[in-house]
């Protein structure tokens, strides 16, 4: 993997960079939030590791800026702030996982590789588009169209739709969505899924002849025609 590490503590940065190198990964470092955001926007990365408390621009602001412009690069937060509310806020802002300091190199590598596997194209699936009925999702440009009409989605809505389309015809549980779309390893006891499913339906189902997102009572959701 090509990894961008945004970390102002030089000892932590040196440790993480050396561990990544031992695993054969290429790591570049930035020591402030502004430098990190510039680097993130200037090149393509397989994953980002972002310290939450950074000088000039904090880590959550870096992640929010990237997500607001549609950048879906996997992000792992490093932070000394480990309360549930801190972790939830980090995940809700757009991070894919959250690791509390101090941490072991083994857990860092496992979490980084897990989010990369989960969010990278799956296995030998080299498709550049996903299609279901009259809905088309371009994995390269991230453009979504239904019946030829362009549909504008927020980054999380896009990721939710992509996951549903990759599992079209199957029942997708709330736990599966929390794990694979939000990166939650626990249930935050919020209505975040309901809110995003509702928004997605408003965009891809409303004003069309039939819905593609279906609720399976007591089980989850299924994507596709009836």
């Amino acid at each position: 993997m090509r990894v961008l590490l945004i970390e102002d503590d030089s000892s932590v940065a040196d440790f993480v960079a050396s561990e990544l190198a031992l695993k054969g990964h290429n790591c570049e470092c930035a020591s402030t939030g502004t430098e990190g955001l510039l680097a993130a926007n200037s090149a393509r990365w397989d994953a980002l590791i972002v310290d939450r408390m950074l000088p000039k621009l904090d880590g959550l602001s870096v992640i929010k800026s990237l997500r607001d412009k549609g950048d879906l690069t996997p992000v792992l937060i490093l932070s000394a702030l480990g309360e549930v509310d801190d972790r939830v806020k980090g995940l809700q802002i757009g991070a894919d996982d959250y690791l509390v300091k101090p941490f072991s190199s083994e857990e860092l590598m496992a979490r980084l590789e897990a989010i990369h596997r989960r969010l990278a194209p799956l296995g030998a699936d080299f498709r550049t588009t996903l299609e279901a009925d009259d809905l088309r999702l371009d994995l390269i440009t991230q453009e979504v169209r239904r019946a030829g009409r362009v549909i504008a989605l927020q980054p999380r809505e896009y990721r939710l739709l992509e996951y549903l389309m990759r599992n079209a015809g199957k029942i997708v549980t709330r736990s599966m969505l929390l794990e694979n779309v939000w990166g939650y390893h626990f249930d935050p006891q919020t209505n975040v899924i309901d809110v995003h499913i509702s928004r997605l339906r408003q965009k891809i189902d409303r004003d069309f002849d039939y819905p593609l997102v279906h609720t399976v009572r007591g089980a989850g959701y299924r994507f596709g025609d009836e």
Side-chain angles (χ1 to χ4, degrees):
M1 285 185 285
R2 188 163 183 262
V3 180
L4 174 63
L5 170 63
I6 311 176
E7 169 62 68
D8 65 318
D9 186 323
S10 60
S11 61
V12 174
D14 290 345
F15 169 72
V16 172
S18 64
E19 290 299 314
L20 286 166
L22 286 173
K23 293 290 186 180
H25 303 305
N26 178 24
C27 178
E28 296 186 25
C29 301
S31 59
T32 71
T34 51
E35 290 175 1
L37 182 58
L38 178 62
N41 285 322
S42 300
R44 184 182 181 92
W45 306 92
D46 294 307
L48 307 179
I49 301 176
V50 182
D51 183 25
R52 180 164 174 170
M53 294 182 287
L54 293 166
K56 298 187 178 180
L57 187 67
D58 68 272
L60 296 188
S61 296
V62 170
I63 297 167
K64 185 177 187 304
S65 178
L66 293 171
R67 295 308 191 226
D68 284 348
K69 77 178 188 64
D71 189 325
L72 300 177
T73 304
V75 175
L76 171 63
I77 288 179
L78 298 181
S79 181
L81 303 176
E83 298 298 322
V84 171
D85 288 346
D86 297 319
R87 300 199 305 272
V88 168
K89 186 174 182 180
L91 295 168
Q92 288 179 334
I93 208 74
D96 299 289
D97 203 351
Y98 194 109
L99 183 59
V100 178
K101 298 177 181 179
F103 53 85
S104 69
S105 61
E106 291 82 2
E107 184 175 13
L108 172 68
M109 292 298 111
R111 287 178 179 267
L112 184 63
E113 291 167 1
I115 62 172
H116 182 254
R117 283 197 308 270
R118 186 169 68 242
L119 300 174
L122 303 177
D125 185 354
F126 296 108
R127 291 177 294 173
T128 59
T129 62
L130 298 175
E131 296 185 19
D133 201 76
D134 59 350
L135 183 70
R136 184 176 185 274
L137 184 152
D138 190 312
L139 294 168
I140 304 300
T141 65
Q142 298 184 359
E143 182 182 73
V144 177
R145 289 176 178 266
R146 184 165 185 189
R149 184 192 307 176
V150 176
I151 298 173
L153 298 179
Q154 294 297 315
R156 190 71 68 178
E157 295 165 352
Y158 173 89
R159 189 175 295 172
L160 174 60
L161 177 61
E162 179 184 350
Y163 186 77
L164 290 171
M165 292 184 73
R166 287 188 183 277
N167 292 276
K170 304 174 184 176
I171 293 177
V172 175
T173 67
R174 295 175 66 87
S175 295
M176 292 166 66
L177 292 176
L178 286 170
E179 173 74 17
N180 293 283
V181 179
W182 277 268
Y184 288 179
H185 300 291
F186 57 95
D187 188 346
Q189 299 296 315
T190 71
N191 65 343
V192 63
I193 292 179
D194 304 297
V195 169
H196 281 78
I197 287 287
S198 177
R199 290 176 181 170
L200 188 62
R201 281 173 163 153
Q202 288 291 312
K203 294 182 177 182
I204 70 168
D205 284 343
R206 190 180 65 179
D207 301 329
F208 292 96
D209 294 337
Y210 47 87
L212 292 173
V213 180
H214 307 279
T215 299
V216 181
R217 189 174 299 277
Y221 302 94
R222 184 180 57 78
F223 187 87
D225 60 27
E226 290 291 356

